[in-house]
Amino acid sequence: MALLTCHFFSEALGVSTAATVLLPESARGQIGMGGADVEGPPPVLYLLHGLSDDETIWTRRTSIERYVAERGLAVVMPRGGRSMYADEVHGGGYWTFLSQELPRAVQQFFRVSDRREDTFVAGLSMGGYGAMKWALREPWRFAAAASLSGALVVGGERARFVRDELVPHVWGGADPAGTDDDLLALLDRADPATLPALYATCGAQDDLLDTQHAFVERAAARGVDVEAHVHPGDHDWAFWDEHIVNVLDWLPLRR
């Protein structure tokens, strides 16, 4: 794999930002590392970080580079701040950056596929929420979306941490329940026939497990299929390093 750090200017954020990018390489001579021969532009996974991290964290805390090497999959890991991947009332336009600027930049800078069947999104914690939000708001863009330990409920009493810690600067003190930042509301408005495949996994000891249950229950009530899993584990990198492999195995990659 080629590992790149890409610095570029964002109009939506009004500041230079960064993304870590993995690109497939047909390498055979590296000891202990495989490669993949990819005909044409490779498929791409947008992989989102959690609340306290940045665009480097997946490569620092997991073996994501090794996991994708033989799959021929490009991975784009953008910087998302503490934004909940929303256009912050007191901050940056992170939703606009993620959904509009980033895909354009990726197509401008890198040779990766722009076809829906080759495009995926996943993330952990805040990034799991961001991945599901992006898939529900722009279902035409993705073939599949996955959440690992996602904060999948951001409105109402269940979202106490989001309300106390993030609502003031992200949503200006307003409860995001019922808005386009509320996954449950997005499920209520979704056409199940248009959605990408959805996957959610969480640790049995994770405090966010109840938000996954709420998301899956609402999806089922709306006729939306979600492949959901609960495994032993907490809200930590041991869990995410193990279960990102399951997500990669689940992705409908064209062979």
Side-chain angles (χ1 to χ4, degrees), residues 134 142 208:
W134 200 0
F142 300 105
L208 291 179

Side-chain angles (χ1 to χ4, degrees), residues 5 20 49 53-61 77-78:
T5 299
T20 299
H49 66 74
D53 297 317
D54 63 17
E55 72 280 2
T56 69
I57 201 67
W58 277 101
T59 55
R60 291 166 56 203
R61 299 282 192 266
M77 295 161 276

Side-chain angles (χ1 to χ4, degrees), residues 3-4 96-97 156 170 230 232 235 237 247:
L3 171 63
L4 298 87
T96 301
F97 164 71
V170 175
V230 177
H235 202 76
W237 283 101
V247 170

Side-chain angles (χ1 to χ4, degrees), residues 2 35 124 129 140 151 177 187 189 194 250:
L124 69 90
Y129 160 79
W140 50 266
L187 285 170
R189 297 193 285 268
T194 68
W250 169 80

Side-chain angles (χ1 to χ4, degrees), residues 58-68 241 244 248:
W58 277 101
T59 55
R60 291 166 56 203
R61 299 282 192 266
T62 77
S63 291
I64 186 67
E65 180 177 356
R66 182 164 55 87
Y67 300 152
V68 300
D241 185 43
I244 189 60
L248 295 172

Side-chain angles (χ1 to χ4, degrees), residues 66-82:
R66 182 164 55 87
Y67 300 152
V68 300
E70 295 185 355
R71 290 176 164 87
L73 178 65
V75 184
V76 175
M77 295 161 276
R79 181 184 299 173
R82 292 174 61 86

